[in-house]
Amino acid sequence: MTLPEVIPAEALDSTDLLGLWPILSEDERVAAFRLLDRDEAYRFLRALSTRDEAKLLLSLPASELDSSVRLLAPDDAADVIQETQEELRPVLMGAMDENSRREVKALLAYAEDAAGGLMNPRYARLRPDMTVDEAVAYLRKQSRESVETIYSQFVIDEAQHLIGVVSFRDLFTAPRDAKVRDIMRTEVLSVRDDQDQESVSRLFAKHNLMAIPVVDAENRIKGVVTFDDIVDVVQEEATEDIHKFGGTESLDAPYMESALVPMLRKRAGWLAALFLGELLTATAMAFFEEEIARAVVLALFVPLIISSGGNSGSQASTLVIRAMALGEVKLRDWWRVMQRELLTGFLLGSMLGTIGFFRIVIWQFVRPIYGEHYLLVALTVFTSLIGVVMFGTLAGSLLPFLLRALRFDPASASAPFVATLVDVTGLVIYFSVASLLMAGTLL
Amino acid sequence: MTLPEVIPAEALDSTDLLGLWPILSEDERVAAFRLLDRDEAYRFLRALSTRDEAKLLLSLPASELDSSVRLLAPDDAADVIQETQEELRPVLMGAMDENSRREVKALLAYAEDAAGGLMNPRYARLRPDMTVDEAVAYLRKQSRESVETIYSQFVIDEAQHLIGVVSFRDLFTAPRDAKVRDIMRTEVLSVRDDQDQESVSRLFAKHNLMAIPVVDAENRIKGVVTFDDIVDVVQEEATEDIHKFGGTESLDAPYMESALVPMLRKRAGWLAALFLGELLTATAMAFFEEEIARAVVLALFVPLIISSGGNSGSQASTLVIRAMALGEVKLRDWWRVMQRELLTGFLLGSMLGTIGFFRIVIWQFVRPIYGEHYLLVALTVFTSLIGVVMFGTLAGSLLPFLLRALRFDPASASAPFVATLVDVTGLVIYFSVASLLMAGTLL
């Protein structure tokens, strides 16, 4: 498919091209991008994903690289550089003007997931002694030169300290000769440049922000984080958490674009670790080998028992981890969560135990495979299920607290991790209950 | 703790109150809110969560309810109504003015997760034949009357059809006597009022939008969805997906605030369904009871084998489901995903199989518990692991496609669900491999 079949080249704009992008070949992408005028190219690059931006820029002829790279805001340029292989970075850095290169280098010095790594170092700054009319005239000039955020204006003193904020609406509704000092809000929410992006995104959600200023330890303004960066952060953090839940390291690239070997490496690590944990089940089972030999019927319910513990544990850990990520549950709540989950585990375990009990008793009438002591077997399954589900719920809900207290990411208490932990304990609970209840009869 | 201990009442503003909110009692909350002036109360309500808004408003004395309810934008008011018990809704509806009540009723008619349920029906509308100066004067007036979004202005014809969009920056940088018609962009992204909120949020992320107009089937503008609603949508959808992954229905309220019984009900449903599935493992095991009786050593590795299948399946389904939610993987990609996961499963299974093989062989030298045929046991475990992990990976990656093709939510292919499916099959694979390899020796 060539471009002209779809849309006349002279009418192509950034929105069309974004729609066509996924179905175009590399060459067609470059050709189509070069058809856009400066304004449309700017809009287009803003909307393109960082990965695609990096690929596109590096495919452009050298003569056009400079002008395209200069369309990028410094924070986007820094993201593109980070996405680029080490050896190709100088090409992109070389295409920037002196000023941008300095800004980008400063941004690259921040951790990728810190507020400083998200912020745009260009923003509209006002002086407190400007009048509203002067401020508007100044902003009118600024907005032509692509200062990204003209929606919040920060008021700073001579030493770059942040002293207030003025919104467009404030400027609009104030008398024209009022001073900025008199209409600015002085209670300004701001974040530190080394603050984690997840806590920044929580602040955005909590206060419905559009932009937040980033300051250093001395309250000097360094840049601004805007809502469009935050939508990406929220997606990214959710993806990371979801991948951890599934017991895999997060991929750095979209699934279909990840090369096989790095993906294998990320999955193999967790899988091997879980496998080593599960090897303990073989050890536990060997410990009860005699019991199994004497009452083979016990072996039949092993998968049922341990999976019930795993499932209830995975439920509990999922609920607690997500609640922690959203800030609904704090470290100090562990005691209340534990009480709650103990009761929940008891009730859920009793429910599953009852189902299991009747399954065995009823089955015995249909096909008597559980022998004369089938009631004892059913009772063992009933009791074990209560114990195993309670342990699963407890382990699943408390593990995230433990991980957080030890300063690990609570999301690592993934479903598979909890299941592995509960499997080994579940076996011990099951065979201990059996030994108690069946001593003298089956065992 | 009373308020004055923390902060002088006369200096209290919306930001302070948001910070204090979690530690205040119900009564203190009402008292503190009543200290805010109109502007600060407006800011505060915008930032408060819908649940807390509803609770607060219903605790206010009747004399103050009207003025507070009238601070809400219609879309927020509709959310609050939805959060309120049926029998208390008339109280809130009665506190609105006639116009708002009509708007809120129209919004409530939309599904909660449709664009129409998210949108604000108030927005700035311009006529194509206004001049820039007229448009700015008009917006200046509008912005005093709390039209929520003055950041994108929509241009409409006499029949309310959406014909263009103008940004503040466009107005700012255009000559004052230009016509809106000449500076507006006519390629306008819009969403239909019945469109799902998840697809709206993907559009926001893709195009870095600040606001998007909502139109009906005839392209008549009905309202506008703004970025702050979208941050909430992204969080909400991620939470739903994460809960499904953990094998539980999503809670309607934060974890700590959910009452025990509704939470139990949501967890019990999934847990019981998974348990009924797992009961099939008892049936499968009973089918192989004779083999177990003859070679008890086989039972020792049952938990190891089935959990490996479950873990690899949960990895695969997590990666595929998240990629689908982000739009990275489409239904038509199933064939490529399958090829990829078959190869991945083979390689991961071989890795785990190798670890398992050597674990058995080496252990045999330390403590000879696996009998004279230990090499045969090790070979059975090795081969079964390859088969089980391949099956797990395949089932985990294809199940989301199947669910989507059948128009179910792919996220229902949760880790516990996949694990249950793989457990039963894993047992069959394991014992079949054992029958083949051990015929004539152990079996």
Side-chain angles (χ1 to χ4, degrees), chain A residues 135-185:
Chain A
V136 169
Y138 171 75
L139 292 173
R140 192 184 276 267
K141 194 168 137 272
Q142 288 279 303
S143 69
R144 285 210 190 85
E145 288 163 12
S146 97
V147 170
E148 237 200 324
T149 325
I150 57 164
Y151 304 107
S152 278
Q153 288 76 37
F154 301 108
V155 186
I156 51 177
D157 66 11
E158 287 75 16
Q160 304 285 320
H161 293 120
L162 177 64
I163 56 174
V165 64
V166 175
S167 76
F168 233 128
R169 178 178 295 169
D170 297 337
L171 281 178
F172 241 41
T173 53
R176 295 181 167 199
D177 55 353
K179 290 274 192 205
V180 166
R181 175 190 311 285
D182 300 321
I183 64 164
M184 73 187 184
R185 280 171 61 82

Side-chain angles (χ1 to χ4, degrees), chain A residues 289, chain B residues 360-372 374:
Chain A
E289 194 174 0
Chain B
I360 295 174
V361 172
I362 293 168
W363 204 253
Q364 180 66 11
F365 283 96
V366 182
R367 285 182 53 207
I369 54 171
Y370 300 129
E372 54 171 334
Y374 72 95

Side-chain angles (χ1 to χ4, degrees), chain B residues 315-332:
Chain B
Q315 275 194 345
S317 74
T318 303
L319 290 173
V320 171
I321 293 169
R322 186 61 184 163
M324 276 186 174
L326 294 178
E328 294 166 3
V329 165
K330 305 261 185 290
L331 204 48
R332 61 166 187 270

Side-chain angles (χ1 to χ4, degrees), chain A residues 279-318:
Chain A
L279 279 174
L280 291 176
T281 60
T283 314
M285 290 288 282
F287 192 77
F288 298 109
E289 194 174 0
E290 261 182 63
E291 279 83 353
I292 299 173
R294 257 179 279 160
V296 173
V297 69
L298 277 182
L300 307 190
F301 299 102
V302 163
L304 181 70
I305 302 275
I306 63 177
S307 68
S308 300
N311 289 342
S312 53
S314 123
Q315 274 193 346
S317 74
T318 303

Side-chain angles (χ1 to χ4, degrees), chain B residues 55-322:
Chain B
K55 242 190 263 172
L56 173 66
L57 290 173
L58 290 167
S59 322
L60 286 178
S63 60
E64 283 177 36
L65 181 61
D66 286 27
S67 65
S68 295
V69 166
R70 286 170 195 201
L71 291 174
L72 298 177
D75 54 337
D76 293 336
D79 291 344
V80 169
I81 296 278
Q82 255 155 351
E83 191 65 42
T84 307
Q85 285 168 283
E86 204 76 54
E87 58 271 26
L88 292 173
R89 290 182 185 181
V91 180
L92 294 176
M93 291 295 265
M96 294 175 199
D97 60 60
E98 186 53 40
N99 188 27
S100 302
R101 190 154 45 229
R102 200 159 11 84
E103 288 174 327
V104 167
K105 275 188 187 154
L107 290 178
L108 288 173
Y110 285 105
E112 214 180 330
D113 57 356
L118 276 183
M119 73 186 183
N120 186 341
R122 297 183 192 161
Y123 50 89
R125 37 199 116 184
L126 299 178
R127 296 284 178 201
D129 42 11
M130 279 175 163
T131 64
V132 166
D133 243 6
E134 284 166 347
V136 169
Y138 171 76
L139 293 172
R140 192 184 276 267
K141 194 169 135 276
Q142 288 279 302
S143 68
R144 284 208 192 88
E145 290 164 9
S146 97
V147 170
E148 232 201 327
T149 326
I150 56 164
Y151 302 109
S152 277
Q153 288 76 35
F154 302 109
V155 187
I156 52 177
D157 66 13
E158 287 75 16
Q160 304 285 321
H161 292 120
L162 178 64
I163 57 174
V165 64
V166 176
S167 76
F168 233 127
R169 179 178 295 169
D170 296 336
L171 281 179
F172 240 42
T173 52
R176 295 179 167 202
D177 56 353
K179 290 274 192 202
V180 165
R181 177 191 308 286
D182 299 322
I183 64 164
M184 72 186 185
R185 280 171 62 81
T186 52
E187 285 265 349
V188 189
L189 280 179
S190 65
V191 292
R192 276 283 299 280
D193 49 3
D194 55 359
Q195 199 167 325
D196 179 72
Q197 63 177 10
E198 203 169 348
S199 77
V200 178
S201 81
R202 273 207 293 271
L203 215 57
F204 262 79
K206 188 169 168 191
H207 295 275
N208 271 339
L209 299 175
M210 209 132 117
I212 199 166
V214 180
V215 296
D216 66 11
E218 277 81 47
N219 196 35
R220 279 186 306 244
I221 186 162
K222 308 304 275 184
V224 56
V225 174
T226 50
F227 69 92
D228 53 321
D229 306 314
I230 290 301
V231 172
D232 297 343
V233 168
V234 170
Q235 287 283 25
E236 208 179 281
E237 299 279 343
T239 301
E240 258 183 55
D241 280 0
I242 286 175
H243 285 166
K244 278 193 193 142
F245 276 123
T248 176
E249 245 182 277
S250 213
L251 308 179
D252 299 325
Y255 174 85
M256 297 300 282
E257 292 173 35
S258 301
L260 191 66
V261 174
M263 189 178 75
L264 264 179
R265 204 175 304 132
K266 285 179 188 279
R267 290 166 70 166
W270 256 106
L271 216 52
L274 293 170
F275 188 78
L276 292 177
E278 283 288 344
L279 279 175
L280 291 176
T281 60
T283 315
M285 291 287 284
F287 192 78
F288 297 109
E289 193 175 359
E290 262 183 61
E291 280 84 353
I292 300 173
R294 258 178 280 159
V296 173
V297 68
L298 277 181
L300 308 189
F301 299 102
V302 163
L304 180 70
I305 302 275
I306 64 177
S307 68
S308 301
N311 289 342
S312 53
S314 123
Q315 275 194 345
S317 74
T318 303
L319 290 173
V320 171
I321 293 169
R322 186 61 184 163

Side-chain angles (χ1 to χ4, degrees), chain A residues 237-315:
Chain A
E237 299 279 344
T239 301
E240 257 183 56
D241 280 0
I242 286 176
H243 284 167
K244 277 193 194 143
F245 276 123
T248 175
E249 245 182 278
S250 213
L251 309 178
D252 298 325
Y255 175 84
M256 298 298 284
E257 292 172 35
S258 301
L260 191 66
V261 173
M263 190 179 73
L264 264 179
R265 205 175 304 130
K266 285 181 187 279
R267 290 165 69 167
W270 255 106
L271 216 51
L274 293 169
F275 188 79
L276 292 177
E278 283 290 343
L279 279 174
L280 291 176
T281 60
T283 314
M285 290 288 282
F287 192 77
F288 298 109
E289 194 174 0
E290 261 182 63
E291 279 83 353
I292 299 173
R294 257 179 279 160
V296 173
V297 69
L298 277 182
L300 307 190
F301 299 102
V302 163
L304 181 70
I305 302 275
I306 63 177
S307 68
S308 300
N311 289 342
S312 53
S314 123
Q315 274 193 346

